[in-house]
Amino acid sequence: MSMKNVERRGGARKGTGPKKGSGRMTKICISVDSANWQTALSRWQDKGSRLVDRLVWRYIDSNGKILKPEAMI
């Protein structure tokens, strides 16, 4: 039996995997002092990670306009 007549199965295939540029990420650094964090959590009434997600999405939706100039570094 010749190797060129054998159907190949498995392994990497051409054109598969993530597309170029689809994994672009931007890092966002958030720092909050503990007093402000505790106040925000007491008003939020949900998980802290969801609070951070909501704030990051608001920042993205506004193109960074929700920050006060003195808060930006």
Side-chain angles (χ1 to χ4, degrees):
M1 183 178 198
S2 169
M3 287 302 287
K4 61 183 174 185
N5 292 336
V6 175
E7 183 181 331
R8 245 184 103 170
R9 293 186 181 212
R13 290 175 299 283
K14 186 177 181 180
T16 62
K19 305 302 177 223
K20 185 175 182 179
S22 66
R24 292 184 184 163
M25 299 179 107
T26 302
K27 291 184 180 181
I28 298 175
C29 179
I30 301 172
S31 30
V32 180
D33 66 2
S34 64
N36 285 338
W37 179 249
Q38 292 305 320
T39 302
L41 281 179
S42 67
R43 292 180 183 175
W44 179 245
Q45 302 295 324
D46 202 355
K47 292 181 179 181
S49 60
R50 292 183 183 158
L51 172 60
V52 172
D53 288 343
R54 174 74 59 92
L55 292 173
V56 169
W57 278 113
R58 281 188 57 202
Y59 175 78
I60 292 170
D61 286 343
S62 71
N63 291 323
K65 294 178 183 172
I66 63 170
L67 289 180
K68 296 178 183 175
E70 60 268 9
M72 297 178 7
I73 297 174

